[in-house]
Amino acid sequence: MSTVMERETYEEDVRPLSGKERSASAFRSKKEERRYWVFLIAFIIGGLLCAFGLLVYNNPVPFDSPSFMPVVERRVVAVITMAIAALCQSLATVAFHSVTNNRIITPSLLGFDALYSTIQTSMIFFFGAGALVGFSGTGAFLGQVAVMVLMSLLLYGWLLSGKYANLQLMLLIGIIIGTGLNSVSTFMRRMLAPSEFDLLQARLFGSVTNADAAYFPIVIPIVVVVGVLLYLFSNQLNIVALGKDMATSFGVNHRQSVIYTLILISLLMSVSTALIGPLTFFGFLVATLSYQVAATYDHKYVFPMAFALGFFVLTSAYFFIYHIFNAPSVVSVIIELFGGVIFLAVILRKGSL
């Protein structure tokens, strides 16, 4: 009799754990899942509306004029560039946060921005303004991307494949290299003539106007393929984000997964930086906001939210500042300023790196 009573008591204790309350969903509740889809759809619609506004609003040519569509086609280049930048920066930053297990640091710490600045500054310093203006075309673009990717691969191969592989050491050396390159490029900029300095500064501000449509046949396939590879790697990335010990216990090769992810990140960051210039805090801004609205740790859901949010931020910022406030030259400055403020707020709230 007592055995039967004990069995019934045990079954009552374990029943809530084996019923409908247990779930393997990426969201803690249906409410959070509905909230995710509402935000995702809202950002997609908002981004598309702002992109449409960028294409047709304030067009100096009448709609029924034959010259209307050529103006729209020129604006399409800027919108495509925004989509590329949003995809590169958002996916790279979210993946970087996961493999480093830190949501404050950004891929820019590995020196992509500093290397881009050094390449541009060295070009005008050693060869003059004409060389910088002529430093364009597919060859120059691929050369910049190759140098950035090669630097990152050497850094990963040296610091993550050795006996004393250490991710924090890699980040520290990346910061030191970036600081050194910035110091060299700053010294060279001080030696330039005022006219050369003005020309160089236009290249060093991240802007969609820096992009050349001739690069799209190369850039778009690279970005799409790398983005798909990162998305397909989402399940393993979820495990890698738990840390080395947990990933190993699940049978995941942590070191190989980290190196593979960092290679994809370096491709995205190199293409974005070479195409439009440095965007130091944009990726951090988008990733941080995505974590807040996605309410999940599953990368299959975080990646689309980050991309949709990044595209909405870029298109809305350019639309309002270009057409409402008529100050096109300050778009990147405002985005970076806002991202920097969010960065400081997160650090002060967290209390550490």
Side-chain angles (χ1 to χ4, degrees):
M1 182 70 177
S2 60
T3 304
V4 173
M5 292 181 62
E6 289 176 358
R7 184 181 302 167
E8 291 177 351
T9 303
Y10 172 77
E11 290 176 353
E12 290 178 357
D13 290 338
V14 302
R15 189 176 296 119
L17 297 178
S18 58
K20 294 182 179 180
E21 294 183 9
R22 295 186 65 180
S23 174
S25 172
F27 302 94
R28 291 175 295 184
S29 65
K30 291 293 184 181
K31 181 180 178 181
E32 287 188 349
E33 186 174 1
R34 287 193 298 269
R35 177 174 173 265
Y36 170 87
W37 289 110
V38 168
F39 273 109
L40 180 63
I41 294 172
F43 287 136
I44 292 174
I45 294 175
L48 293 176
L49 288 176
C50 291
F52 181 75
L54 285 170
L55 294 177
V56 301
Y57 182 77
N58 203 21
N59 193 323
V61 181
F63 180 77
D64 55 353
S65 173
S67 301
F68 181 83
M69 287 308 298
V71 174
V72 173
E73 290 173 359
R74 286 196 295 270
R75 295 182 176 186
V76 167
V77 175
V79 174
I80 294 176
T81 304
M82 293 177 197
I84 293 172
L87 183 65
C88 292
Q89 295 284 334
S90 59
L91 266 61
T93 305
V94 170
F96 192 73
H97 285 172
S98 298
V99 297
T100 58
N101 199 21
N102 192 315
R103 290 190 172 184
I104 292 181
I105 56 180
T106 68
S108 297
L109 292 177
L110 296 179
F112 294 103
D113 296 353
L115 184 58
Y116 173 83
S117 175
T118 304
I119 292 173
Q120 299 292 323
T121 306
S122 300
M123 185 62 59
I124 195 172
F125 181 80
F126 291 108
F127 305 106
L132 182 64
V133 174
F135 189 64
S136 59
T138 305
F141 175 79
L142 291 177
Q144 291 185 86
V145 173
V147 170
M148 294 180 193
V149 173
L150 180 62
M151 184 199 73
S152 59
L153 291 181
L154 290 175
L155 194 62
Y156 306 153
W158 173 39
L159 296 175
L160 294 180
S161 300
K163 181 179 180 180
Y164 303 102
N166 192 312
L167 191 62
Q168 284 70 34
L169 179 63
M170 183 198 73
L171 296 173
L172 178 60
I173 292 181
I175 294 173
I176 294 173
I177 292 175
T179 303
L181 291 175
N182 277 328
S183 299
V184 172
S185 60
T186 300
F187 170 77
M188 289 190 291
R189 285 198 294 271
R190 290 182 178 273
M191 306 293 290
L192 298 177
S195 58
E196 295 176 331
F197 181 82
D198 291 340
L199 178 63
L200 177 64
Q201 285 299 104
R203 293 284 189 98
L204 297 184
F205 276 106
S207 175
V208 296
T209 58
N210 292 338
D212 188 343
Y215 304 151
F216 289 168
I218 299 173
V219 170
I220 294 177
I222 293 176
V223 171
V224 171
V225 170
V226 174
V228 170
L229 290 176
L230 263 182
Y231 185 81
L232 295 177
F233 199 66
S234 295
N235 289 334
Q236 282 189 267
L237 205 54
N238 293 338
I239 300 175
V240 171
L242 298 175
K244 182 177 181 179
D245 295 336
M246 289 294 293
T248 303
S249 66
F250 278 106
V252 174
N253 190 318
H254 184 267
R255 182 183 297 180
Q256 287 186 3
S257 298
V258 168
I259 293 176
Y260 174 75
T261 306
L262 288 174
I263 291 173
L264 298 181
I265 292 171
S266 67
L267 284 169
L268 291 176
M269 291 298 298
S270 300
V271 168
S272 174
T273 305
L275 183 66
I276 64 174
L279 291 173
T280 306
F281 291 112
F282 172 68
F284 173 82
L285 170 65
V286 170
T288 302
L289 295 178
S290 299
Y291 300 142
Q292 303 302 316
V293 298
T296 181
Y297 292 95
D298 195 335
H299 289 80
K300 291 195 301 292
Y301 295 94
V302 178
F303 280 148
M305 179 66 75
F307 171 55
L309 180 57
F311 185 67
F312 172 71
V313 168
L314 280 179
T315 54
S316 60
Y318 272 92
F319 176 77
F320 284 103
I321 297 178
Y322 260 74
H323 298 302
I324 306 302
F325 300 103
N326 196 26
S329 60
V330 300
V331 178
S332 60
V333 177
I334 292 178
I335 292 176
E336 292 294 281
L337 176 62
F338 189 60
V341 171
I342 297 296
F343 180 79
L344 291 175
V346 171
I347 288 181
L348 294 175
R349 182 181 177 183
K350 190 179 178 67
S352 65
L353 291 174

